[in-house]
Each structure stands twice: as structure tokens, then as C-alpha cells.
Amino acid sequence: MDIKEVTKQFNTVAKMYDENRRKFIPCFDSFYKDATEFIAGNISCPSHILDLGAGTGLLTYYWYSCFPNSRYTLVDVAEEMLKIAKQRFAGLPNVDCEICDYAQSLPSGDFDVIISALSIHHLSDREKSRLFKRIFDKLPTGGLFVNYDQFCAGSNLLNKWYDGDWEKFLKSGALSDDDIRAWQQRRRLDRECSQESEIEYLKACGFKEVKCVFSDRKFAVIIAIK
């Protein structure tokens, strides 16, 4: 992962990130809200939740809606993104933000749930596997990792179908030409794997339960229980 380029790109779009997120994700509500509520309805209130690549805190917002009494730590490499997260959760003593390159190391502390949204696909397959092993080692028995991310189809033909369908959705919406060009620029940083590959990476780390609980072509939510 080119960490400097990723940081630059996301610092640039920080202020408009939340506004545009719904315009970029066809299944926004199912992806963020419905999937989170499904998971939250089947687990006990976590003590401490770690959000990797938290950006503006959008995913934590949905988890906080379900578990307002949990403690949250949000990490990202993009300082401008975290500034917005700090504003979002201003005055809440149970939400902390810190600059951190999670591809290199995870923050100190004990966490029983680790979450991430639209971030890990920037890592190479090798970096993903290393990260998943660190996540596994960080969690207690019964701990939960949830990755909300974008994926390739796993074949050249279907990748073209998936990408073409996504681009068609974007061009039919409210995005400007500049928005589309910026998206195309950011896409060059993507290192997507297939859902099937990620599930195998997670199982290889030792997670006892791994399952995709939501999928809509490019976007999926995968859970792994230690």
C-alpha cells in the first residue's frame, strides 16, 4: 500500500466524504445500517470497539447508535478525516481518535470488537493476511472482526461486469464530472480481493466462524469470530 498517496487522497476529500458516500454506494443503507443492526442484535454490548481506517467516523456512528455505552477508538492515517470524526463525536468521553497506520501495527489496548469500512481493500493480499493475523491475536476468544468493504468478483469477465455496473450507477446519479474523475483517481489505489479469498485468509488465521452476512456485488460485509 502506498500510504502517502492514500493519506493525500483521503485528506483531500475529507469535507465532502460523508455527503458523497451515499452517492457512491448503491446499497448504502443495507451496507452500513442494516448489516450493523443485524450484527448488533446478535451480540452482547461490546466493552471496547476499534475502528480501523475510521475516516470521518461514519461506521462508528452506526455502531454507536446500537451501543452508546461502549468505548470506541478510531484510527486512520488521514488527519483531516479524523478531524471530522472528532467533530462528529465532540463531547462524548467514550470516543477517542488517533493517527495510526494499522497496516503496520494496531493501537495498544484491549478490544473485543474490531470493525473497518471501505479501507482494507487498499492493502495488498499479503498485507491483508498480515493484518488479519494481528487482528486475530488482538481479539479475545469469542471476539469479533467485521469488515465492510468492496471486493472484486474473482474473474476477469465478472470483474468487468461488476465495475461496469458500478460506474453506470455513479454516472446516473448526482455526482459531478469532477467527482467521477476523483473516484477514478482513487480507484487506482484499490487492491481488491474476492470475498471468497478474504474468507480463506481469515480462516487461515484461526477464526472459527467466518461468513459473509451481506453482499451486493462490489460491496459485502464479512464477519469473523475468534
Side-chain angles (χ1 to χ4, degrees):
M1 178 178 68
D2 186 341
I3 190 64
K4 290 184 179 179
E5 185 61 25
V6 170
T7 303
K8 176 183 175 182
Q9 291 283 348
F10 282 91
N11 276 332
T12 300
V13 302
K15 291 183 179 179
M16 64 186 77
Y17 187 83
D18 279 8
E19 178 184 347
N20 279 346
R21 194 84 318 224
R22 186 178 291 275
K23 299 175 187 177
F24 278 101
I25 303 177
C27 52
F28 182 94
D29 287 324
S30 297
F31 184 69
Y32 278 105
K33 183 177 182 292
D34 296 347
T36 299
E37 290 179 353
F38 166 72
I39 297 166
N42 286 283
I43 64 173
S44 300
C45 180
S47 174
H48 197 176
I49 298 173
L50 172 63
D51 188 346
L52 302 177
T56 63
L58 184 60
L59 179 59
T60 288
Y61 164 80
Y62 286 99
W63 275 78
Y64 187 91
S65 297
C66 296
F67 298 117
N69 295 319
S70 297
R71 181 183 169 195
Y72 294 85
T73 296
L74 287 66
V75 301
D76 203 288
V77 295
E79 185 175 4
E80 293 302 314
M81 300 282 270
L82 281 184
K83 283 182 179 178
I84 297 174
K86 290 177 181 178
Q87 294 171 4
R88 186 195 295 274
F89 300 109
L92 297 178
N94 56 330
V95 181
D96 298 309
C97 299
E98 64 178 85
I99 301 294
C100 174
D101 179 5
Y102 67 74
Q104 300 301 318
S105 63
L106 298 180
S108 60
D110 296 322
F111 306 96
D112 43 3
V113 172
I114 298 177
I115 60 177
S116 183
L118 299 174
S119 180
I120 293 174
H121 68 272
H122 294 123
L123 304 182
S124 68
D125 288 353
R126 184 180 224 179
E127 289 172 323
K128 289 184 183 79
S129 294
R130 290 174 176 172
L131 171 64
F132 296 155
K133 184 61 169 66
R134 286 196 295 272
I135 289 173
F136 179 84
D137 291 341
K138 192 74 170 174
L139 290 169
T141 300
L144 178 67
F145 169 56
V146 189
N147 188 25
Y148 304 63
D149 217 340
Q150 68 185 58
F151 297 87
C152 66
S155 76
N156 290 333
L157 174 61
L158 291 180
N159 285 340
K160 292 179 180 179
W161 288 16
Y162 279 23
D163 289 345
D165 182 65
W166 190 16
E167 187 162 359
K168 181 179 178 180
F169 165 79
L170 297 180
K171 290 182 175 179
S172 67
L175 293 170
S176 67
D177 289 341
D178 286 343
D179 289 331
I180 297 293
R181 282 191 289 270
W183 168 77
Q184 291 170 335
Q185 184 71 20
R186 293 194 300 274
R187 283 284 281 154
R188 297 175 185 176
L189 302 173
D190 292 346
R191 301 292 182 267
E192 300 164 340
C193 67
S194 67
Q195 297 171 35
E196 294 82 1
S197 292
E198 180 152 313
I199 287 171
E200 289 305 312
Y201 297 155
L202 289 164
K203 287 181 177 178
C205 292
F207 284 99
K208 65 180 181 181
E209 294 279 355
V210 184
K211 185 72 175 178
C212 177
V213 296
F214 169 80
S215 178
D216 185 13
R217 292 186 289 277
K218 291 294 295 182
F219 302 94
V221 180
I222 294 176
I223 63 170
I225 302 172
K226 182 171 177 178

